């Protein structure tokens, strides 16, 4: 049996109830006494834990109060429990309770082996290491310390207070109407997305949206074109739904539909990041957008447009979303608040073509349930009252400066041949390398120096990927950008000098 309590014995009644429900010829008092004594001795009932009153235990166990009192009195008399007049009964502070507890935990673990499904094993391979990341340079992490938390907490409190009782229930309405309207206004104006509030389905992050799309629109074994290199999170969702992933090469105009390898059958889905390709950073050209729309039409495929960070453009004019290009486009637009606000918020949204609205809303409510209505309402006000656009402007400026800082720190390396991506947008830069062994060595040495260097080759589905480093700067404080950037520049120079000396 699992440990019963820590400092409080809130669930003791349930635990003792299970003991009494087992068949035994012993009297009730004896069985209560034994169970409590064993749990004190083994440390499951922690020293100092306060027991519920005898009256409450008797009521919860459906036995006479004297039955409980007799057992407790005996344990007090033997020193296992301590009666504090006027304060209740407590587990005594006994040395053996600490000594015996670990012995139990180190005994042979009887849990069944973790035999995962083949899908589970594939998913795990796509899930990376369990370890966390360092402050520099994890990709995709926003400036968490710059979030206007006080204002946000105020809005949250207000909307929690006002939340109608109906919001405590199961619902299937696609999200809070005020948020869907606010998102629609924002998307129509800032991203040229064609949408009405009914088309917006609020989900718990883009990932959940990808999973829902995969399950609703493609059957196991059907093909999905994925940008190569591309976003591993989306890949994991499609993989977990049993789809067959087809790498679609990306060049400096974005995904090229003409270069997708043949022999995989018509795709059911085409996933891409046209505004700011992840991780290479290119913006898809108009010619390619039109070619892609045509290819999707010809194959009867749905396009999944992941517009994850297009708010952050520096200098360049914003590029309209692919979804808005034509009237009847077969595009599902996916947005997330993980980059503009923060990932722990777990909010994202889909803008669905009209025929998919009702099926997706119902399936989402069935599969994942709708969640966090007061948070959605607070976000609706955050957007409608202009806080959102203000925050985006502030973060755009912050990230522009952080990118400049990273470039400054890397300048000595750039002067000696290190090539960086253009960085016209987004939250990371790519440093291109030409040797896979160099990539691996830098990643390993970076880890030892407390720096996360994400290998570009890891963003490829098919080996060998092009070597490089993906350097997220948005969520890294200025001092750390300088420290880690200088470290990387020195590592580059040391290699160049070493190579030069050898030549
Ligand atoms: C390309 C891309 N799309 C979407 C997301 C956001 O996913 P979510 O909304 O589930 O946090 C990320 C986050 O890392 C991303 O990098």
């Amino acid at each position: 049996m699992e440990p019963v309590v820590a400092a409080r014995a809130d669930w003791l009644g349930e635990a003792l109830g299970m003991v009494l429900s087992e068949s035994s010829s012993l009297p009730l008092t004896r069985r209560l006494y034994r169970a409590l004594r064993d749990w004190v001795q083994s440390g499951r009932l922690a020293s100092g834990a306060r027991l519920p009153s005898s009256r409450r235990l008797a009521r919860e166990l459906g036995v006479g109060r004297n039955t409980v009192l007799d057992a407790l009195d005996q344990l007090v008399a033997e020193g296992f429990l301590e009666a504090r007049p006027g304060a209740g009964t407590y587990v005594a502070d006994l040395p053996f309770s600490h000594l015996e507890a670990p012995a139990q935990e180190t005994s042979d673990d009887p849990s069944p082996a973790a035999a995962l499904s083949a899908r589970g094993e594939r998913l795990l391979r796509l899930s990376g290491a369990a370890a966390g990341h360092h402050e520099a340079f994890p990709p995709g992490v926003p400036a968490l310390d710059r979030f206007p938390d006080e204002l946000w907490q105020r809005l949250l409190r207000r909307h929690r207070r006002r939340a109608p009782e109906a919001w405590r229930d199961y619902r299937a309405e696609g999200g809070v109407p005020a948020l869907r309207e606010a998102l629609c206004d924002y998307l129509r104006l800032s991203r040229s997305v064609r949408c009405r509030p009914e088309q917006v389905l609020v989900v718990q992050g883009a990932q959940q949206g990808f999973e829902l799309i995969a399950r609703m629109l493609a059957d196991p074994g059907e093909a999905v074109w994925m940008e190569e290199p591309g976003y591993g999170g989306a890949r994991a969702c499609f993989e977990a739904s049993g789809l067959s992933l087809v790498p679609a090469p990306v060049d400096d105009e974005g995904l090229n539909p003409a270069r997708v390898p043949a022999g995989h059958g018509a795709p059911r889905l085409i996933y891409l990041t046209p505004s700011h390709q992840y991780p290479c950073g290119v913006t898809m050209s108009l010619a390619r957008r039109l070619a892609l729309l045509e290819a999707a039409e010809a194959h009867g495929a749905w396009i999944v447009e992941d517009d994850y960070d297009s708010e952050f453009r520096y200098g360049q004019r914003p590029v309209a979303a692919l979804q808005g290009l034509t009237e009847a486009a077969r595009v599902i637009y996916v947005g997330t608040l993980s980059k503009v606000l923060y990932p722990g918020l777990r909010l994202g949204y889909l803008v669905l073509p009209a025929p998919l609205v009702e099926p997706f809303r119902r399936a989402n409510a069935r599969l994942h349930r709708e969640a966090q209505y007061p948070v959605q309402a607070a976000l609706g006000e955050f957007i409608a009252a202009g806080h959102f656009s203000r925050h985006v402007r502030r973060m755009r400026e912050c990230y522009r400066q952080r990118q400049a800082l990273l470039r400054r720190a890397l300048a000595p390396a750039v002067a000696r041949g290190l090539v960086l991506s253009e960085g016209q947008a987004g939250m990371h830069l790519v440093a291109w390398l030409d040797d896979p062994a160099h990539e691996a060595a830098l990643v390993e040495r970076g880890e030892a120096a407390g720096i996360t260097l994400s290998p570009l080759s890891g963003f490829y589905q098919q080996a060998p990927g092009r070597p490089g480093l993906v350097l997220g700067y948005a969520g890294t404080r200025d001092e750390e950008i300088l420290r880690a950037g200088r470290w990387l520049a020195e590592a580059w120079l040391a290699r160049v000098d070493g190579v030069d000396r050898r030549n």
Side-chain angles (χ1 to χ4, degrees):
M1 192 180 292
E2 286 300 299
V4 179
V5 278
R8 289 156 56 91
D10 285 351
W11 305 106
L12 194 60
E14 271 78 354
L16 287 171
M18 282 186 256
V19 170
L20 295 191
S21 69
E22 288 159 13
S23 65
S24 163
S25 55
L26 287 176
L28 290 176
T29 297
R30 197 71 201 149
R31 290 161 70 190
L32 290 178
Y33 161 83
R34 277 211 179 159
L36 287 168
R37 197 190 66 180
D38 285 354
W39 293 345
V40 172
Q41 265 180 315
S42 65
R44 285 176 182 173
L45 261 175
S47 297
R50 183 177 193 268
L51 268 54
S53 69
S54 55
R55 201 180 306 273
R56 182 177 137 191
L57 278 179
R59 194 175 56 243
E60 286 180 8
L61 296 171
V63 300
R65 189 168 166 221
N66 281 342
T67 306
V68 176
L69 277 175
D70 287 349
L72 296 184
D73 286 349
Q74 179 73 27
L75 290 161
V76 170
E78 291 174 7
F80 290 100
L81 299 179
E82 215 178 278
R84 299 186 195 159
T89 306
Y90 291 79
V91 176
D93 190 6
L94 298 167
F96 57 69
S97 57
H98 303 291
L99 291 177
E100 288 191 14
Q104 257 200 344
E105 277 161 29
T106 52
S107 65
D108 281 346
D109 186 350
S111 354
L116 300 179
S117 64
R119 184 203 295 129
E121 290 290 356
R122 283 198 304 276
L123 185 55
L124 215 56
R125 280 197 294 279
L126 289 168
S127 302
H133 51 65
H134 303 293
E135 197 190 322
F137 294 110
V141 179
L144 303 174
D145 57 329
R146 304 286 178 101
F147 182 70
D149 200 49
E150 229 168 83
L151 166 72
W152 177 243
Q153 294 300 337
R154 214 168 41 239
L155 290 178
L156 271 184
R157 276 196 298 276
R158 187 156 75 235
H159 285 279
R160 287 209 165 106
R161 251 197 327 268
R162 284 185 192 163
E165 193 185 303
W167 283 1
R168 296 187 200 144
D169 200 354
Y170 294 113
R171 295 175 75 78
E173 56 181 32
V176 167
L179 174 60
R180 297 160 81 201
E181 268 164 42
L183 283 170
C184 230
D185 276 354
Y186 156 69
L187 293 172
R188 271 195 301 246
L189 289 172
S190 83
R191 309 290 309 118
S192 299
V193 169
R194 294 169 195 255
C195 82
R196 286 172 285 105
E198 311 84 83
Q199 289 173 266
V200 177
L201 175 67
V202 178
V203 289
Q204 291 158 59
Q207 290 290 105
Q208 192 195 309
F210 300 142
E211 221 207 330
L212 188 66
I213 292 169
R215 288 180 191 240
M216 290 300 285
L217 297 177
D219 284 311
E222 288 190 309
V224 50
W225 289 0
M226 300 291 303
E227 289 172 324
E228 175 84 334
Y231 175 45
R235 206 181 286 155
C237 287
F238 295 133
E239 174 85 46
S241 299
L243 307 195
S244 160
L245 274 51
V246 182
V250 168
D251 59 24
D252 56 8
E253 285 191 70
L255 186 156
N256 188 349
R259 286 197 49 223
V260 178
H264 296 276
R268 287 294 291 149
L269 301 173
I270 302 174
Y271 165 89
L272 76 165
T273 49
S275 301
H276 184 230
Q277 204 277 330
Y278 191 82
C280 295
V282 296
T283 301
M284 194 177 204
S285 68
L286 181 61
R288 282 284 171 79
R289 286 170 191 243
L290 296 173
L292 187 81
L293 288 171
E294 214 171 276
E297 196 60 46
H299 291 302
W302 293 99
I303 294 173
V304 182
E305 177 176 16
D306 179 4
D307 204 16
Y308 63 106
D309 76 349
S310 53
E311 289 82 2
F312 305 122
R313 300 220 139 248
Y314 320 112
Q316 233 186 20
R317 286 160 63 92
V319 194
L322 177 63
Q323 191 264 13
L325 258 186
T326 65
E327 185 74 57
R330 305 175 59 86
V331 180
I332 301 170
Y333 178 92
V334 184
T336 175
L337 292 146
S338 295
K339 312 292 153 184
V340 191
L341 301 181
Y342 60 90
L345 188 61
R346 298 318 306 143
L347 278 178
Y349 47 89
L350 307 182
V351 179
L352 295 160
L356 299 184
V357 169
E358 167 76 3
F360 269 59
R361 183 176 53 73
R362 280 175 39 207
N364 180 53
R366 189 68 172 153
L367 199 60
H368 301 294
R369 303 292 190 206
E370 298 192 354
Q372 310 193 66
Y373 294 122
V375 181
Q376 291 187 28
L379 180 60
E381 185 178 343
F382 190 80
I383 298 172
H387 305 304
F388 183 78
S389 57
R390 200 167 310 124
H391 182 61
V392 167
R393 281 197 301 276
R394 284 180 50 227
M395 290 305 95
R396 200 181 284 149
E397 191 45 40
C398 169
Y399 299 163
R400 182 208 306 278
Q401 287 175 14
R402 286 185 171 177
Q403 189 193 121
L405 216 53
L406 177 56
R407 285 184 184 280
R408 196 190 318 152
L410 291 176
V414 170
R416 302 278 305 277
L418 177 69
V419 179
L420 297 176
S421 58
E422 281 185 21
Q424 298 278 8
M427 302 158 75
H428 68 265
L429 287 177
V430 178
W432 309 102
L433 304 173
D434 42 31
D435 176 4
H438 189 203
E439 181 195 69
L442 282 174
V443 170
E444 193 184 321
R445 287 179 50 207
E447 186 58 37
I451 301 167
T452 297
L453 299 171
S454 308
L456 178 64
S457 61
F459 289 75
Y460 285 77
Q461 191 185 325
Q462 288 189 324
R466 183 175 172 185
L469 300 172
V470 180
L471 307 171
Y473 50 78
T476 309
R477 280 172 300 124
D478 297 358
E479 322 78 77
E480 186 59 11
I481 290 180
L482 286 176
R483 178 193 80 89
R486 284 179 186 139
W487 180 93
L488 182 55
E490 274 165 28
W492 173 266
L493 293 178
R495 174 174 164 98
V496 174
D497 286 342
V499 171
D500 285 353
R501 258 200 303 280
R502 261 180 270 135
N503 288 340

